[in-house]
Amino acid sequence: MKYKIGKRLIKIGFLTNQIYKEAILVNVLTNFLFIIMQYYMWKVVYETNSMDMYSFKEMFSYIILAQLIGNIYPVNVSRRIGQLVRTGDISLTLLNPFSFIEQLFFENVGTSLFKLLITNIPLYAMYLIFIGVNVSVLNVLKFILILMFSYFFYFVFELLFGILSFYTKSSWGLNSFKYVIIVLFSGRLMPLNFYPQSILKILNLLPFKYMYNVPISILLGKFSNFWGMLFLLGINLIIIFLIYKISFAKTIKRLTIQGG
């Protein structure tokens, strides 16, 4: 039964995105302009500086891949929870027979599939035009595997910020704070290796690198210890999931008490 419901929710998430055709065009145009801007910015950087860690082609590959991944991650989960909390509909939503969290997950999987298959097409074309096919099949398989784990990690991370909206009653400030964390600590805009060693040591202790830096670096062949990275990501996923479960249980208890 749950499998059928999940399949339908994925289909709903996929089809819902087809309704907003203007939004799709704006999204595609935004991706295109962002990549072009990054291309010329890093071209100037490499013309005036010597970079040993990444060649210009590898750096531009990283930028495009980060944009591709960013498009398919479930980035609006915390905002959706925050909206339900603000309107008060969260109480009724939690009473549904089908888990609200599972509903969020499957709908976002549908949205991610739509962006993967439709919205990202111009980015695929840009990658082939500017970079070409220069990654091994083995690295692609490793990338897909670790990206699946990273997707779950990102989803649970979004759930944690969604839970915080129960206490703040607003998700605007939380989403801004979340954005800063992801941009600075995950390698969303550039590889973490570009940070000073003192900061890099701290960032390597944090789990946010598994969102962007680790999957992309594995695809580009910058990491050799794939199974070690996958194991550590699995451990971090279990830890963040346990934190979410404990936080959610306390939040529901608080909600029940306030609701009488």
Tab-separated table of all heavy atoms in Angstrom, residues 42 46 51-65 127 130-131 134-135 191 194 216-217 219-222:
chain	number	residue	atom	x	y	z
A	42	TRP	N	35.831	32.888	-13.306
A	42	TRP	CA	36.955	31.977	-13.056
A	42	TRP	C	37.988	32.040	-14.168
A	42	TRP	O	39.179	31.783	-13.936
A	42	TRP	CB	36.440	30.549	-12.890
A	42	TRP	CG	35.805	30.336	-11.556
A	42	TRP	CD1	34.478	30.244	-11.283
A	42	TRP	CD2	36.477	30.215	-10.303
A	42	TRP	NE1	34.273	30.076	-9.944
A	42	TRP	CE2	35.487	30.047	-9.315
A	42	TRP	CE3	37.808	30.224	-9.913
A	42	TRP	CZ2	35.784	29.893	-7.967
A	42	TRP	CZ3	38.126	30.079	-8.571
A	42	TRP	CH2	37.115	29.910	-7.619
A	46	TYR	N	41.921	32.522	-13.323
A	46	TYR	CA	42.983	31.620	-13.791
A	46	TYR	C	43.977	32.326	-14.712
A	46	TYR	O	45.120	31.884	-14.829
A	46	TYR	CB	42.368	30.410	-14.501
A	46	TYR	CG	42.018	29.295	-13.551
A	46	TYR	CD1	40.827	29.307	-12.837
A	46	TYR	CD2	42.892	28.235	-13.337
A	46	TYR	CE1	40.500	28.295	-11.952
A	46	TYR	CE2	42.579	27.209	-12.454
A	46	TYR	CZ	41.388	27.249	-11.761
A	46	TYR	OH	41.076	26.248	-10.876
A	51	MET	N	46.801	28.111	-10.341
A	51	MET	CA	46.041	27.201	-9.482
A	51	MET	C	46.518	25.770	-9.734
A	51	MET	O	46.326	25.239	-10.837
A	51	MET	CB	44.544	27.313	-9.774
A	51	MET	CG	43.978	28.715	-9.599
A	51	MET	SD	43.716	29.137	-7.881
A	51	MET	CE	42.852	30.695	-8.061
A	52	ASP	N	47.126	25.164	-8.728
A	52	ASP	CA	47.667	23.815	-8.891
A	52	ASP	C	46.640	22.727	-8.583
A	52	ASP	O	46.698	21.628	-9.138
A	52	ASP	CB	48.887	23.628	-7.988
A	52	ASP	CG	50.032	24.556	-8.373
A	52	ASP	OD1	50.141	24.869	-9.573
A	52	ASP	OD2	50.784	24.974	-7.483
A	53	MET	N	45.693	23.028	-7.689
A	53	MET	CA	44.755	22.002	-7.239
A	53	MET	C	43.751	21.614	-8.310
A	53	MET	O	43.409	20.443	-8.484
A	53	MET	CB	44.023	22.489	-5.984
A	53	MET	CG	44.909	22.660	-4.768
A	53	MET	SD	44.003	23.338	-3.351
A	53	MET	CE	43.688	25.012	-3.903
A	54	TYR	N	43.261	22.608	-9.053
A	54	TYR	CA	42.267	22.381	-10.098
A	54	TYR	C	42.681	23.136	-11.357
A	54	TYR	O	43.046	24.316	-11.277
A	54	TYR	CB	40.882	22.882	-9.666
A	54	TYR	CG	40.164	21.993	-8.680
A	54	TYR	CD1	40.503	21.995	-7.330
A	54	TYR	CD2	39.125	21.157	-9.089
A	54	TYR	CE1	39.844	21.187	-6.422
A	54	TYR	CE2	38.456	20.349	-8.189
A	54	TYR	CZ	38.818	20.368	-6.857
A	54	TYR	OH	38.163	19.560	-5.958
A	55	SER	N	42.602	22.479	-12.496
A	55	SER	CA	42.774	23.189	-13.753
A	55	SER	C	41.505	23.996	-14.018
A	55	SER	O	40.478	23.797	-13.357
A	55	SER	CB	43.015	22.203	-14.897
A	55	SER	OG	41.856	21.416	-15.122
A	56	PHE	N	41.556	24.891	-14.983
A	56	PHE	CA	40.364	25.690	-15.287
A	56	PHE	C	39.205	24.800	-15.716
A	56	PHE	O	38.061	25.009	-15.319
A	56	PHE	CB	40.660	26.716	-16.385
A	56	PHE	CG	39.433	27.469	-16.839
A	56	PHE	CD1	38.842	28.418	-16.017
A	56	PHE	CD2	38.859	27.197	-18.077
A	56	PHE	CE1	37.700	29.101	-16.423
A	56	PHE	CE2	37.715	27.872	-18.490
A	56	PHE	CZ	37.141	28.828	-17.654
A	57	LYS	N	39.502	23.786	-16.526
A	57	LYS	CA	38.443	22.889	-16.986
A	57	LYS	C	37.837	22.120	-15.815
A	57	LYS	O	36.608	21.942	-15.739
A	57	LYS	CB	38.995	21.908	-18.030
A	57	LYS	CG	37.942	20.976	-18.605
A	57	LYS	CD	38.486	20.125	-19.732
A	57	LYS	CE	38.600	20.943	-20.995
A	57	LYS	NZ	38.891	20.074	-22.176
A	58	GLU	N	38.655	21.665	-14.878
A	58	GLU	CA	38.151	20.957	-13.697
A	58	GLU	C	37.327	21.896	-12.818
A	58	GLU	O	36.291	21.500	-12.277
A	58	GLU	CB	39.316	20.387	-12.900
A	58	GLU	CG	39.995	19.196	-13.551
A	58	GLU	CD	41.230	18.749	-12.792
A	58	GLU	OE1	41.842	19.585	-12.098
A	58	GLU	OE2	41.587	17.560	-12.893
A	59	MET	N	37.790	23.132	-12.692
A	59	MET	CA	37.069	24.095	-11.876
A	59	MET	C	35.704	24.402	-12.470
A	59	MET	O	34.692	24.447	-11.763
A	59	MET	CB	37.890	25.392	-11.763
A	59	MET	CG	37.298	26.412	-10.802
A	59	MET	SD	37.333	25.815	-9.097
A	59	MET	CE	35.717	26.363	-8.544
A	60	PHE	N	35.667	24.594	-13.782
A	60	PHE	CA	34.388	24.883	-14.433
A	60	PHE	C	33.471	23.662	-14.397
A	60	PHE	O	32.249	23.800	-14.289
A	60	PHE	CB	34.617	25.342	-15.872
A	60	PHE	CG	33.416	25.976	-16.495
A	60	PHE	CD1	32.772	27.036	-15.876
A	60	PHE	CD2	32.915	25.512	-17.702
A	60	PHE	CE1	31.651	27.621	-16.444
A	60	PHE	CE2	31.796	26.087	-18.279
A	60	PHE	CZ	31.163	27.151	-17.651
A	61	SER	N	34.062	22.472	-14.475
A	61	SER	CA	33.276	21.238	-14.307
A	61	SER	C	32.626	21.230	-12.931
A	61	SER	O	31.441	20.883	-12.781
A	61	SER	CB	34.176	20.005	-14.464
A	61	SER	OG	34.731	19.921	-15.740
A	62	TYR	N	33.399	21.602	-11.921
A	62	TYR	CA	32.895	21.633	-10.543
A	62	TYR	C	31.708	22.583	-10.437
A	62	TYR	O	30.686	22.248	-9.810
A	62	TYR	CB	34.016	22.075	-9.600
A	62	TYR	CG	33.669	21.954	-8.134
A	62	TYR	CD1	34.137	20.885	-7.378
A	62	TYR	CD2	32.885	22.910	-7.500
A	62	TYR	CE1	33.818	20.776	-6.034
A	62	TYR	CE2	32.554	22.806	-6.168
A	62	TYR	CZ	33.030	21.743	-5.425
A	62	TYR	OH	32.694	21.634	-4.086
A	63	ILE	N	31.807	23.765	-11.048
A	63	ILE	CA	30.746	24.769	-10.976
A	63	ILE	C	29.456	24.247	-11.599
A	63	ILE	O	28.368	24.370	-11.027
A	63	ILE	CB	31.186	26.074	-11.676
A	63	ILE	CG1	32.391	26.696	-10.965
A	63	ILE	CG2	30.019	27.064	-11.718
A	63	ILE	CD1	32.146	27.074	-9.526
A	64	ILE	N	29.568	23.655	-12.783
A	64	ILE	CA	28.376	23.135	-13.462
A	64	ILE	C	27.757	21.991	-12.676
A	64	ILE	O	26.534	21.922	-12.496
A	64	ILE	CB	28.722	22.672	-14.888
A	64	ILE	CG1	29.179	23.852	-15.742
A	64	ILE	CG2	27.506	21.994	-15.539
A	64	ILE	CD1	29.582	23.479	-17.154
A	65	LEU	N	28.600	21.084	-12.177
A	65	LEU	CA	28.091	19.934	-11.418
A	65	LEU	C	27.421	20.376	-10.120
A	65	LEU	O	26.405	19.803	-9.717
A	65	LEU	CB	29.241	18.966	-11.117
A	65	LEU	CG	29.807	18.220	-12.333
A	65	LEU	CD1	31.104	17.504	-11.967
A	65	LEU	CD2	28.780	17.226	-12.863
A	127	TYR	N	27.773	21.461	-20.220
A	127	TYR	CA	28.883	20.618	-19.754
A	127	TYR	C	29.565	19.935	-20.936
A	127	TYR	O	30.793	19.904	-21.037
A	127	TYR	CB	28.367	19.576	-18.763
A	127	TYR	CG	29.475	18.788	-18.095
A	127	TYR	CD1	30.014	19.204	-16.881
A	127	TYR	CD2	29.991	17.627	-18.677
A	127	TYR	CE1	31.038	18.499	-16.271
A	127	TYR	CE2	31.014	16.921	-18.079
A	127	TYR	CZ	31.528	17.357	-16.874
A	127	TYR	OH	32.550	16.658	-16.275
A	130	PHE	N	31.433	22.768	-23.139
A	130	PHE	CA	32.618	23.388	-22.547
A	130	PHE	C	33.641	22.363	-22.030
A	130	PHE	O	34.841	22.615	-22.049
A	130	PHE	CB	32.208	24.306	-21.385
A	130	PHE	CG	31.574	25.589	-21.831
A	130	PHE	CD1	30.201	25.749	-21.807
A	130	PHE	CD2	32.352	26.641	-22.281
A	130	PHE	CE1	29.611	26.932	-22.221
A	130	PHE	CE2	31.771	27.837	-22.689
A	130	PHE	CZ	30.397	27.980	-22.666
A	131	ILE	N	33.139	21.223	-21.544
A	131	ILE	CA	34.026	20.254	-20.880
A	131	ILE	C	34.220	19.000	-21.721
A	131	ILE	O	35.330	18.490	-21.875
A	131	ILE	CB	33.476	19.869	-19.487
A	131	ILE	CG1	33.141	21.127	-18.675
A	131	ILE	CG2	34.470	18.977	-18.763
A	131	ILE	CD1	34.323	22.030	-18.408
A	134	ASN	N	34.763	13.613	-20.003
A	134	ASN	CA	36.121	13.340	-19.504
A	134	ASN	C	36.113	12.682	-18.128
A	134	ASN	O	37.031	12.848	-17.348
A	134	ASN	CB	36.939	14.637	-19.462
A	134	ASN	CG	36.360	15.643	-18.483
A	134	ASN	OD1	35.181	15.574	-18.138
A	134	ASN	ND2	37.184	16.568	-18.029
A	135	VAL	N	35.038	11.945	-17.818
A	135	VAL	CA	34.968	11.225	-16.553
A	135	VAL	C	34.800	9.738	-16.838
A	135	VAL	O	34.175	9.353	-17.835
A	135	VAL	CB	33.799	11.725	-15.670
A	135	VAL	CG1	34.052	13.144	-15.189
A	135	VAL	CG2	32.470	11.675	-16.433
A	191	PRO	N	35.350	24.435	-4.534
A	191	PRO	CA	35.901	23.324	-3.746
A	191	PRO	C	36.415	23.810	-2.396
A	191	PRO	O	36.954	24.915	-2.285
A	191	PRO	CB	37.041	22.803	-4.623
A	191	PRO	CG	36.708	23.249	-6.003
A	191	PRO	CD	36.007	24.562	-5.858
A	194	PHE	N	40.045	25.261	-1.546
A	194	PHE	CA	40.441	26.639	-1.761
A	194	PHE	C	40.501	27.426	-0.443
A	194	PHE	O	41.024	28.536	-0.421
A	194	PHE	CB	39.480	27.330	-2.730
A	194	PHE	CG	39.767	27.030	-4.169
A	194	PHE	CD1	39.725	25.723	-4.644
A	194	PHE	CD2	40.082	28.035	-5.060
A	194	PHE	CE1	39.986	25.429	-5.968
A	194	PHE	CE2	40.348	27.745	-6.393
A	194	PHE	CZ	40.304	26.450	-6.846
A	216	ILE	N	31.115	15.681	-5.913
A	216	ILE	CA	31.717	16.237	-7.126
A	216	ILE	C	33.189	15.855	-7.228
A	216	ILE	O	33.679	15.510	-8.313
A	216	ILE	CB	31.559	17.771	-7.142
A	216	ILE	CG1	30.080	18.144	-7.165
A	216	ILE	CG2	32.265	18.361	-8.361
A	216	ILE	CD1	29.815	19.631	-7.052
A	217	SER	N	33.902	15.911	-6.108
A	217	SER	CA	35.328	15.562	-6.118
A	217	SER	C	35.526	14.098	-6.497
A	217	SER	O	36.502	13.750	-7.178
A	217	SER	CB	35.943	15.844	-4.742
A	217	SER	OG	35.888	17.230	-4.436
A	219	LEU	N	33.514	12.366	-8.499
A	219	LEU	CA	33.258	12.279	-9.932
A	219	LEU	C	34.461	12.775	-10.742
A	219	LEU	O	34.793	12.212	-11.795
A	219	LEU	CB	32.018	13.100	-10.297
A	219	LEU	CG	31.588	13.064	-11.762
A	219	LEU	CD1	31.265	11.641	-12.200
A	219	LEU	CD2	30.397	13.982	-11.995
A	220	LEU	N	35.130	13.809	-10.241
A	220	LEU	CA	36.281	14.378	-10.939
A	220	LEU	C	37.582	13.631	-10.641
A	220	LEU	O	38.639	14.004	-11.147
A	220	LEU	CB	36.437	15.858	-10.568
A	220	LEU	CG	35.281	16.779	-10.967
A	220	LEU	CD1	35.550	18.203	-10.501
A	220	LEU	CD2	35.045	16.745	-12.468
A	221	GLY	N	37.492	12.586	-9.803
A	221	GLY	CA	38.676	11.784	-9.499
A	221	GLY	C	39.616	12.420	-8.507
A	221	GLY	O	40.816	12.106	-8.488
A	222	LYS	N	39.111	13.316	-7.660
A	222	LYS	CA	39.945	14.011	-6.680
A	222	LYS	C	40.046	13.260	-5.350
A	222	LYS	O	40.863	13.596	-4.513
A	222	LYS	CB	39.387	15.415	-6.414
A	222	LYS	CG	39.439	16.341	-7.621
A	222	LYS	CD	40.863	16.632	-8.028
A	222	LYS	CE	40.938	17.617	-9.176
A	222	LYS	NZ	42.325	17.930	-9.566
